[in-house]
Structure formats: C-alpha cells, structure tokens
Amino acid sequence: MRENTHQSARPFRRAALAFAAALALLLPVPAAAAPAPEKAPAAAKSIVLPGAGGAEGIAAGKGTVFYAGDLATGDIFRGDIRKGSAELFVDAPAGRMAVGMKFDRRHELLFVAGGPAGTAYVYDTKAATAKATIQLTATQPAFINDVALTREGAWFTNSNAAELYFVPVGTDGTLGTVRTLKLTGPASDTDSQFNLNGIAAANGGRTLIVAHSGNAALYTVNPQTGASAAIAGVNVPNVDGILVRGRTLWAVQNFSNQISRIKLSGDLSSGVVKDVITSPLFQIPTTAANFGGKLAVVNAKFGVQDPENFDVVVLRGKSR
C-alpha cells in the first residue's frame, strides 16, 4: 500500500536524493580557526525511521515524543526516545519534501520547511493530517531550510536568499499572512552555494540566531529590522541545524560528524565552544531536538553509499 501511495512521487524522491548527494559538493569545508576542545564520544542509541527514503529534520514533541521527516517524500514519522521506536505518522501528499521542523506545543502543530518549492507545510498532530501549505516565496532558486518558533509565530530560513519569512500564529492557532524580512549585515551574504541554514529564537523571541553554512558562522538577527551581527569567537565548519536553550547553543556540523556545545555571552555578541559531542553512530547528522539532558539527532547520511536505514541517534547533550 505504501509503495503504491508514493509511486507518483518517485520523480520527487529522485530529486530529493540527488540534492542530498550533491550537498557534499555544495558545502565548503572551511578550515577551523583554532583547535577545537578535545572530542569525547557519548553513549548513544539508534532509533530507525522504518521505510524512510531520507531524513533531515527533527522536532521535540510532548514528553519524550519526537517528530522526524523523510527528506525524499515529505512523510512525517513520530517516535519516542524512551521507547526507542518510531512509526509513520503522516503519509504526505506526493511532491513534498521535509527539511527542518519545529513543534508548536500550544496548538499541537508541526511546522516543516519545504525545500526548493519555496513552501512551508503545517500539520495538525492531533489529527495526523495536513493543515496548510504556505507559499513563502515564489522567487527561484529557493531552498526553505529550517524553522524556529516564537510565541508570535514561525520563522523560516532560505539558503538561497538573504531573507527570512515569518508566519504569524494566533492564540487560537490561526495562521496569518507571510511577512518577508530582508537581512542586512553579515547574515545577508549569499556568495556561497549554500548560505543560511539553521535558525533558533533567543531572549524570548526578541533575537533570532541563524547558522550560515558557507561562512561557518553564527549570526544574531533583529526580527524587526533584519539587521545582523556575527557571534564572535565561534567557528563552526559544516554548520547545519542549531538549538538554543538559555545561553547554551548546540550547533550540528553535518560533514564534521559532530555537535559543538557553545556558551553564549549575556548579550549574544560572542560565544565559546565548551565541548564537542561525537558518536560512532553519527552518519552526517543535520538537526537535533532537545530532551532535557539528552539530544535526539537525525542522521541524514548525505553521500553515504546505499544507506540501509535512516535513523535518529539519542545521546547525552554534553560530551562528558
């Protein structure tokens, strides 16, 4: 049944897998400015996404529940880090991709970045159904890569343009009209083939932090003006998804097969890498979800020859 459902989606699956294979060539690997802290592998376990043809994004749900996406088909999986299992949750319509994602606990909505279509998808997790398709930009080329939530709504990055997109979310879960935020300053650099990537909200949503893959850098962004500034002292080659909790930031570094845990200054103007998390289970990790002292990390396996399974790795949020 599942194969028949996605038969018409095979061209999109091929396109998504071609994108994943090409990503290794698109992303530059800048040299680190200084030696990183000593790496220490963390004990970890793997949770397979059964039947997935790709993987990229993950979001923490309620309790120990997580949601993860199939990059190739847009399908959504739901799993549990305590039970150590996952299953297909939403059989997405043909033609979708699922990149970064975040879960809105107040309204039980899942926001998903849609990649090259310039779209975002919203799912009702109570009913396990698609709620909305939102066209963030019609300008091509586009790659809607990741999403961050504030109390006011959802922010999305575009790896091919110096702009962010904001979708308001009302107190009753109603979705508002898209607003485009043009960026200025260093985060607006689009000289690389792959630019803005992960995004997170800090200071109660008054500041956004974006990861820039091409520059191996993190930037703060004013969500009102679009002005950006570098977070000094941080060099993160192959940076992909990011997480922020208080003054701690985790930067997932895909082709480096590691996660840097960074302590940010009070004003977010600088940061220090406190430790680097590795695991023998990492196979090109891209995004992570926070579960208190644990991280759930997606293995995207970009460039891995004939990957057998796509999975989520659960491990401690510190290297020691």
Side-chain angles (χ1 to χ4, degrees):
M1 179 67 69
R2 176 176 168 79
E3 181 64 27
N4 292 338
T5 300
H6 283 291
Q7 186 171 6
S8 63
R10 284 175 181 168
F12 298 95
R13 179 189 293 269
R14 288 196 296 268
L17 294 179
F19 158 77
L23 194 59
L25 299 176
L26 292 178
L27 287 178
V29 185
E38 181 182 354
K39 300 177 184 179
K45 65 178 180 180
S46 169
I47 301 175
V48 172
L49 305 176
E56 212 279 347
I58 190 169
K62 291 187 174 181
T64 54
V65 169
F66 69 83
Y67 299 92
D70 187 327
L71 176 66
T73 66
D75 287 348
I76 305 299
F77 292 83
R78 182 171 65 179
D80 191 302
I81 65 166
R82 180 178 56 82
K83 296 178 181 177
S85 62
E87 61 184 2
L88 180 66
F89 182 62
V90 176
D91 193 353
R96 295 193 177 188
M97 289 176 63
V99 197
M101 59 183 62
K102 289 295 186 297
F103 175 70
D104 179 351
R105 294 171 181 267
R106 290 186 300 160
H107 307 111
E108 298 189 55
L109 298 176
L110 185 68
F111 290 81
V112 181
T119 55
Y121 305 116
V122 185
Y123 296 95
D124 181 343
T125 62
K126 290 181 291 186
T129 58
K131 177 181 175 69
T133 297
I134 304 170
Q135 194 68 44
L136 300 176
T137 179
T139 303
Q140 292 295 324
F143 194 86
I144 307 305
N145 200 320
D146 211 346
V147 55
L149 296 179
T150 68
R151 289 193 64 83
E152 290 73 34
W155 287 95
F156 294 84
T157 58
N158 184 344
S159 296
N160 293 115
E163 54 193 31
L164 304 177
Y165 311 102
F166 179 67
V167 178
V169 181
T171 55
D172 60 351
T174 302
L175 305 175
T177 303
V178 177
R179 174 168 69 91
T180 299
L181 180 68
K182 300 290 186 180
L183 301 185
T184 60
S188 66
D189 180 7
T190 56
D191 287 344
S192 299
Q193 290 178 295
F194 215 73
N195 302 285
L196 295 178
N197 199 324
I199 184 171
N203 287 341
R206 295 185 297 275
T207 302
L208 301 173
I209 298 177
V210 294
H212 194 294
S213 296
N215 293 347
L218 302 174
Y219 302 116
T220 57
V221 174
N222 183 317
Q224 299 300 319
T225 68
S228 65
I231 297 179
V234 178
N235 180 267
V236 276
N238 301 310
V239 65
D240 201 315
I242 58 174
L243 282 174
V244 174
R245 292 294 182 272
R247 291 293 175 261
T248 299
L249 183 149
W250 291 269
V252 184
Q253 296 167 261
N254 47 39
F255 289 99
S256 301
N257 276 314
Q258 65 183 38
I259 301 173
S260 290
R261 187 174 67 90
I262 298 162
K263 184 68 173 180
L264 300 171
S265 63
D267 62 0
L268 305 180
S269 65
S270 64
V272 176
V273 177
K274 302 299 291 185
D275 56 15
V276 176
I277 303 166
T278 65
S279 169
L281 295 180
F282 281 170
Q283 288 186 285
I284 320 299
T286 48
T287 57
N290 184 281
F291 291 89
K294 293 183 178 180
L295 297 177
V297 186
V298 169
N299 268 333
K301 301 189 178 182
F302 295 147
V304 175
Q305 188 69 27
D306 299 323
E308 293 184 359
N309 292 301
F310 291 89
D311 63 336
V312 170
V313 176
V314 181
L315 73 173
R316 296 191 302 273
K318 297 181 180 181
S319 64
R320 291 182 176 87

